[in-house]
């Protein structure tokens, strides 16, 4: 993707959206509601009546897209800034930082969904590792009241850089860590307001919902009801009334951990594919998130704020059931304490690459200790090479896709790594840093918006894992994917390039949106950030040019652009495999449907048809 062209497209989109806001001199309020991991087609009037009402009475985004890799922090960064991952540097939930992160036990592969880790990474990369301003920070600077409430990690990401003042951030931030030593401090105003509302100053734990189980013990059968009831009460009983009393516009981000957390930890399907993430626990989790939205909307009605408040709903990604099966992986031949015989252990990619490349494997989450035979890295991450302090190759384990870094950018090692990956039946699509050159069977990362102005290290190779449909009427509702995770076969994961993971739920309603409108054009989470900025009359000053478009077609008097579709194919590898990318396009803006090896990715079961094909 040529960044200059994308930037021009974004500028034109902003200009085109001007008519939609000509009569809106004063910005409206905005609530951005993120139901983590909600699949688009699981929302019905029965499963999620509040979200279905927003979709049916407001804007129905029928063609939604999560950004790949389809992980929470990656897509949170897109919604927060309006930029693709090549600019934000948040390539997945776990990345390689090339320095030991103190607040992550000195690992070079930190998991980012921890507030102190984000602060540590910020400090190392010039005060703001995203390298782009967030909409909440920009809104706060323009005098809006601002708050972010919900799941630990992505909630804080929306305003993580302002550390001035005795009370920490000027935005209200309440997440899982609130009230603990790692939580963002509460202001005196918030402490008094919580006390007046008879709400505790600390967020309650997840309880049984946080129990993932193990190889012999099922995980949770309880949605995250208690914790989210508290967070919804904070938003409805404290924050929204406080904002109403201030008599100025506000922005509220509410990030619902459900259905994601319950789908990850589900105990409905231990070691079996069915029902997977379509059991009663997942359905209850969808309803739990829906109840939170319904409470927020009732509060807007009670406070007289409905007519002046826009609501955007955007899930960060879809979801799939986990498979731990492979016929080719050497890792399945090992014996592990916590893995059923014949199943892939967590860290299988690092284990398999170490064997294929004949390199020692060290564990960055265990003080760089050597990983012994029939053992796995604690968090799946791996340092390959003779010196773990100067690794030849780093694997950052994430789930439905993994990141591979070559710190020395050695092309010969890249070639051998790619050849090893092409031999594994769990791989479906390989994307390579453009600076390493072209390799048969792979596509360049620039095709995905993964090459930009990021200040964090850029992955050398992004590995997508195989996915397939379990056989229901709608494949995106029953997609299954191989996942590099401690979770079990039958539990839930995301991160792949399956359409089951890229098809997230999106809807909107409010004074600046059309009513009863079905939008057939492709939209993405980067567009959510760009559109939010426009709704709030904010003027970003981007450093990178990988930006989303303003979704003008859903606004009164807004322009409706045209969309196109196409595919990009790699050259065939020696064993005949090609990485194929199926996308849609509005102007120069690409929307990624699915990618991988046809037949190994949901959404790429067959090639050909009417799509235009370009070769790289």
């Amino acid at each position: 993707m040529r960044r200059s062209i994308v930037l021009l497209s974004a500028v034109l989109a902003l200009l085109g959206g001007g008519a939609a806001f000509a009569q809106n001199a004063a910005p409206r309020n905005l609530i951005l509601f993120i139901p983590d991991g909600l699949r688009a087609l699981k929302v019905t009037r029965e499963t999620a009546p509040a979200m279905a009402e927003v979709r049916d009475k407001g804007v129905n985004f029928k063609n939604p897209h999560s950004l790949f890799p389809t992980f929470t922090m990656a897509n949170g960064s897109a919604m927060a800034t309006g930029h693709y991952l090549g600019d934000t540097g948040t390539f997945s939930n776990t990345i390689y930082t090339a320095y030991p992160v103190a607040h992550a036990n000195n690992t070079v592969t930190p998991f980012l969904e921890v507030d102190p880790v984000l602060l540590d990474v910020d400090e190392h990369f010039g005060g703001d590792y995203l390298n782009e301003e967030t909409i909440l920070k920009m809104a706060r600077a323009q005098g809006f009241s601002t708050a972010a409430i919900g799941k630990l990690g992505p909630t804080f990401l929306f305003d993580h850089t302002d550390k001035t003042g005795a009370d920490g951030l000027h935005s209200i931030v309440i997440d899982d860590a609130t009230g603990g030593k790692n939580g963002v401090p509460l202001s005196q105003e918030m402490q008094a307001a919580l006390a007046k509302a008879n709400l505790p100053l600390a967020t309650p734990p997840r309880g049984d919902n946080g129990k993932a189980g193990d190889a012999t013990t099922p995980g949770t059968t309880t949605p995250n009801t208690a914790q989210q009831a508290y967070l919804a009460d904070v938003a409805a009983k404290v924050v929204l009334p406080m904002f109403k009393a201030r008599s100025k516009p506000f922005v509220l981000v509410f990030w619902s951990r459900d259905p994601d957390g319950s789908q990850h930890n589900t105990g409905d399907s231990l070691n079996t594919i069915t029902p997977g993430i379509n059991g009663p626990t997942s359905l209850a989790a969808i309803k739990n998130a829906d109840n939170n939205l319904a409470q927020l909307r009732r509060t807007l009605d009670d406070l007289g704020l409905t007519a002046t408040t826009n609501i955007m709903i955007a899930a960060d990604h879809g979801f799939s059931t986990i498979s731990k099966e492979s016929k080719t992986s050497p890792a399945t031949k090992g014996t592990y304490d916590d893995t059923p015989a014949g199943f892939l252990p967590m860290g299988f990619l690092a284990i398999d690459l170490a064997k294929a490349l004949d390199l020692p494997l060290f564990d960055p989450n265990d003080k760089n200790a050597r990983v012994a035979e029939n053992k796995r890295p604690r968090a799946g991450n791996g340092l390959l090479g003779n010196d773990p302090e100067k690794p030849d190759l780093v694997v950052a384990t994430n789930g439905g896709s993994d990141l591979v870094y070559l710190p020395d950018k050695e092309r010969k090692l890249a070639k051998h790594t790619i050849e090893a990956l092409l031999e594994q039946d769990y791989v479906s699509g390989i994307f390579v840093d453009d600076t390493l050159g072209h390799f048969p069977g792979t596509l360049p990362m620039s095709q995905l918006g993964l090459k930009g102005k990021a200040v964090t290290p850029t992955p050398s190779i992004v590995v997508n894992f195989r996915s397939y449909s379990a056989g229901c009427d709608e494949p995106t509702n029953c997609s299954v994917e191989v996942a590099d995770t401690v979770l079990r076969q039958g539990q839930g994961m995301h991160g792949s390039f399956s359409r089951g993971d890229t098809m997230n739920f999106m809807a909107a309603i409010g004074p600046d949106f059309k009513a009863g409108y079905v939008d057939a054009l492709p939209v993405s989470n980067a567009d959510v950030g760009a559109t939010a900025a426009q709704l709030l009359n904010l003027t970003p000053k981007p450093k990178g040019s990988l930006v989303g478009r303003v979704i003008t077609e859903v606004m009164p008097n807004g322009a409706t652009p045209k969309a196109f579709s196409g595919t990009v194919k790699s050259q065939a590898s020696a064993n005949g495999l090609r990485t194929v990318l199926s996308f849609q396009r509005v102007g120069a803006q690409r929307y990624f449907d699915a990618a991988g090896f046809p037949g190994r990715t949901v959404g790429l079961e067959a090639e050909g048809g009417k799509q235009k094909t370009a070769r790289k």
Side-chain angles (χ1 to χ4, degrees):
M1 188 186 304
R2 295 174 57 190
R3 290 177 292 177
S4 58
I5 294 177
V6 174
L7 180 60
L8 176 61
S9 174
V11 172
L12 292 174
L14 288 169
L15 293 175
F21 298 95
Q23 298 176 342
N24 182 20
R28 317 282 192 181
N29 309 313
L30 174 66
I31 293 180
L32 176 56
F33 186 88
I34 300 106
D36 199 309
L38 180 60
R39 292 164 284 169
L41 300 182
K42 294 301 289 186
V43 174
T44 68
R45 294 179 182 177
E46 292 71 36
T47 61
M51 283 186 273
E53 182 178 48
V54 171
R55 177 195 64 198
D56 298 339
K57 293 185 178 180
V59 176
N60 177 1
F61 293 104
K62 288 182 68 68
N63 197 354
H65 293 78
S66 174
L67 300 186
F68 176 79
T70 48
F71 290 108
T72 294
M73 295 300 284
N75 279 273
S77 75
M79 286 188 272
T81 67
H83 284 256
Y84 280 67
L85 314 184
D87 282 344
T88 71
T90 312
F91 295 101
S92 286
N93 288 343
T94 297
I95 63 173
Y96 172 60
T97 53
Y99 83 97
V101 179
H103 288 285
N105 295 318
N106 290 311
T107 182
V108 295
T109 53
F111 180 63
L112 294 175
E113 288 186 23
V114 183
D115 294 350
V117 171
L118 290 174
L119 292 172
D120 193 317
V121 177
D122 271 343
E123 182 179 357
H124 183 81
F125 291 104
D128 181 2
Y129 91 92
L130 288 182
N131 204 34
E132 300 289 353
E133 285 190 310
T134 66
I135 55 172
L136 216 60
K137 180 178 181 179
M138 288 187 286
R140 176 168 49 77
Q142 292 300 314
F144 286 74
S145 295
T146 54
I149 299 172
K151 178 181 175 180
L152 182 69
T155 294
F156 185 43
L157 195 65
F158 274 83
D159 198 357
H160 59 111
T161 59
D162 184 5
K163 306 167 187 68
T164 60
D167 293 322
L169 296 173
H170 294 299
S171 288
I172 297 168
V173 176
I174 298 184
D175 58 21
D176 304 42
T178 297
K181 65 178 182 178
N182 291 329
V184 175
L186 293 170
S187 67
Q188 293 296 320
E189 179 187 27
M190 273 301 296
Q191 292 182 47
L194 287 169
K196 184 177 181 180
N198 294 316
L199 291 172
L201 302 185
T203 303
R206 294 171 64 186
D208 286 345
N209 181 256
K211 296 178 180 179
D214 55 33
T216 59
T217 305
T220 189
T221 56
T222 304
N224 193 32
T225 307
Q227 186 183 77
Q228 290 190 200
Y230 168 78
L231 295 171
D233 280 348
V234 169
K237 298 178 180 180
V238 176
V239 173
L240 287 175
M242 180 184 294
F243 287 175
K244 165 76 172 180
R246 291 178 181 175
S247 298
K248 61 180 184 179
F250 66 80
V251 184
L252 168 64
V253 177
F254 190 95
W255 196 297
S256 167
R257 182 181 290 276
D258 263 343
D260 175 273
S262 299
Q263 291 172 163
H264 277 309
N265 289 352
T266 181
D268 297 339
S269 195
L270 180 62
N271 293 326
T272 62
I273 297 299
T274 56
I277 57 168
N278 287 310
T281 301
S282 297
L283 291 175
I286 293 172
K287 188 60 168 64
N288 184 36
D290 194 70
N291 288 340
N292 296 158
L293 176 66
Q295 182 177 356
L296 295 180
R297 295 198 71 201
R298 287 194 301 270
T299 300
L300 292 177
D301 287 342
D302 294 342
L303 294 174
L305 294 171
T306 298
T308 57
T309 303
N310 293 303
I311 298 176
M312 299 182 72
I313 305 173
D316 48 344
H317 47 71
F319 235 85
S320 298
T321 297
I322 294 169
S323 167
K324 289 287 193 172
E325 297 173 282
S326 170
K327 295 179 180 179
T328 63
S329 169
T332 62
K333 309 301 189 294
T335 302
Y336 309 91
D337 294 339
D338 62 348
T339 304
F343 275 16
L344 290 163
M346 184 184 198
F348 63 81
L349 187 67
I351 294 170
D352 286 351
L353 286 178
K355 290 182 181 293
L357 300 172
D358 194 24
L359 291 172
L361 174 61
F362 299 89
D363 188 345
N365 296 89
D366 186 20
K367 300 179 181 179
N368 292 350
R370 179 80 178 262
V371 179
E373 191 72 18
N374 288 324
K375 297 292 183 180
R376 64 167 179 83
R378 286 186 177 182
N381 306 308
L383 305 174
L384 280 66
N386 292 313
D387 183 357
E389 299 292 335
K390 297 178 181 179
D392 298 323
L393 183 148
V394 179
V395 176
T397 295
N398 280 278
S401 60
D402 280 356
L403 306 178
V404 176
Y405 296 81
L406 305 179
D408 293 332
K409 305 294 182 183
E410 186 181 332
R411 193 177 191 280
K412 184 177 180 180
L413 179 58
K415 179 177 181 292
H416 291 327
T417 302
I418 291 164
E419 289 171 347
L421 292 170
L422 288 166
E423 294 299 319
Q424 296 299 335
D425 62 1
Y426 55 73
V427 173
S428 181
I430 303 171
F431 304 90
V432 181
D433 186 341
D434 301 53
T435 61
L436 288 168
H438 294 284
F439 299 87
T442 77
L443 285 174
M445 285 169 44
S446 59
Q447 293 282 346
L448 311 179
L450 295 178
K451 290 288 292 181
K453 294 290 187 179
V455 295
T456 61
T458 298
S460 300
I461 303 170
V462 181
V463 185
N464 180 52
F465 294 134
R466 178 174 65 92
S467 60
Y468 62 92
S469 169
C472 63
D473 292 337
E474 174 45 61
T476 63
N477 280 348
C478 62
S479 61
V480 179
E481 69 188 33
V482 174
D484 199 353
T485 173
V486 73
L487 296 172
R488 308 297 162 177
Q489 178 153 304
Q491 293 185 305
M493 185 46 77
H494 48 88
S496 83
F497 227 142
S498 156
R499 190 63 177 125
D501 284 3
T502 66
M503 194 171 185
N504 56 323
F505 179 76
M506 294 177 67
I509 197 168
D512 291 317
F513 293 107
K514 294 176 180 176
Y517 183 77
V518 178
D519 188 11
L521 294 181
V523 292
S524 79
N525 282 332
D527 296 350
V528 170
T531 302
Q534 182 72 40
L535 287 169
L536 300 169
N537 286 351
L538 303 175
T539 306
K541 297 178 181 179
K543 296 178 182 177
S545 56
L546 299 175
V547 291
R549 73 177 178 95
V550 177
I551 313 171
T552 55
E553 68 271 15
V554 302
M555 302 168 186
N557 305 315
T560 301
K562 292 183 179 180
F564 307 88
S565 61
T567 60
V568 179
K569 290 184 180 182
S570 74
Q571 296 177 347
S573 65
N575 59 359
L577 294 173
R578 297 179 188 269
T579 296
V580 177
L581 169 65
S582 174
F583 67 90
Q584 299 174 65
R585 179 172 59 81
V586 175
Q589 197 79 28
R590 280 187 176 182
Y591 298 86
F592 313 118
D593 294 331
F597 305 146
R600 293 195 198 177
T601 292
V602 173
L604 282 179
E605 284 73 21
E607 294 188 69
K610 297 182 179 179
Q611 288 187 322
K612 180 180 178 182
T613 299
R615 293 187 183 274
K616 286 287 180 182

